[in-house]
Amino acid sequence: MRDAYHEELDALTDRLVEMTRLVRSAISRATTALLDSDLQLAESVISRDEEVNRVFAEIEASIFDLMARQQPVAVDLRMIIAALRMGTDLERMGDLAEHVAKVARLRHPESAIPAEIRSTILEMGQIAERLVTKAGSCIASRDVESAMELEGDDDAMDRLHRRLFKILMADDWKYGVEPAIDVTLIGRYYERYADHAVRVARDVVYLVTGSRPEEISALQNS
């Protein structure tokens, strides 16, 4: 019975890693759809978000079943709590990739992204992919050190987000109100996507240590 129980816990980890792969693919394809004004690709991101939602629903069902049958404590309880939190963040990341794709669809056949900021959006997409890939690796390996690095890794996304606002607020912005709104929303979607990846990593730290990253950092610096 206990072996079966721990196999179910391990299966939660596998499903979470699967979610990271799905939302990584989603943000990658959404970025391409946005920059290339690719309607078919945008539609595929939107339609496949249901797959992310389905995996999360399966994780939730497994968690509620485990809690009812096994009444987990200690590390097992932390695993279940962390899995639910991570699944919620990953599901939201899928939604954010879908939002990017919907902007691409809305503006098709035109591009929502002015030429001068295409490189910034491309870089934001690449950083988003790296963050979720690293988060997935941390879930699989339970590597606390790598998980604690993600907050610093997110600084690059924050810098790009600030860069977008500087461009939008500059006196020489020439694209009008509608593109400014699009870019503001898109920048926010990428920034929030990265924040959710950081939250996933923070939950890995909690799962392994029972402490939050800031608590560990405080002890290391004391």
Side-chain angles (χ1 to χ4, degrees), residues 17-200:
V17 172
E18 181 184 358
M19 284 190 77
T20 67
R21 291 172 181 151
L22 289 171
V23 301
R24 179 189 181 277
S25 174
I27 199 67
S28 174
R29 290 180 295 116
T31 302
T32 300
L34 184 68
L35 293 175
D36 294 352
S37 192
D38 187 326
L39 180 60
Q40 184 175 355
L41 192 57
E43 293 285 10
S44 77
V45 175
I46 295 164
S47 64
R48 289 187 64 184
D49 186 54
E50 284 302 315
E51 188 175 358
V52 177
N53 297 339
R54 176 184 56 77
V55 176
F56 180 51
E58 291 172 358
I59 290 172
E60 277 191 312
S62 295
I63 286 170
F64 296 147
D65 180 61
L66 283 167
M67 292 187 73
R69 289 189 294 106
Q70 303 290 349
Q71 299 181 335
V73 296
V75 175
D76 292 347
L77 181 59
R78 286 211 306 270
M79 173 64 207
I80 286 175
I81 292 170
L84 185 58
R85 290 168 58 95
M86 287 188 278
T88 301
D89 281 309
L90 290 164
E91 190 273 336
R92 183 59 184 144
M93 290 164 76
D95 289 343
L96 290 163
E98 181 186 22
H99 293 340
V100 172
K102 284 182 174 179
V103 174
R105 182 175 68 179
L106 179 66
R107 300 306 173 204
H108 183 269
E110 304 300 323
S111 174
I113 305 301
E116 70 184 77
I117 60 173
R118 288 176 61 84
S119 62
T120 301
I121 296 300
L122 175 61
E123 192 174 354
M124 292 180 90
Q126 292 169 340
I127 291 170
E129 288 185 58
R130 289 200 298 269
L131 288 172
V132 73
T133 299
K134 190 168 184 177
S137 177
C138 291
I139 293 170
S141 65
R142 301 193 180 184
D143 185 335
V144 171
E145 185 175 348
S146 291
M148 290 186 65
E149 291 171 357
L150 247 79
E151 198 144 359
D153 296 340
D154 178 48
D155 290 345
M157 184 70 85
D158 293 336
R159 284 194 295 272
L160 291 175
H161 194 217
R162 290 193 295 270
R163 182 194 298 174
L164 281 184
F165 272 102
K166 286 183 180 179
I167 295 170
L168 290 170
M169 298 301 292
D171 291 338
D172 59 352
W173 176 261
K174 59 187 178 183
Y175 301 101
V177 174
E178 192 172 83
I181 293 171
D182 286 343
V183 171
T184 299
L185 289 173
I186 290 164
R188 181 61 173 164
Y189 297 151
Y190 283 109
E191 190 264 343
R192 289 300 298 150
Y193 185 101
D195 285 348
H196 283 289
V198 171
R199 288 176 58 171
V200 169

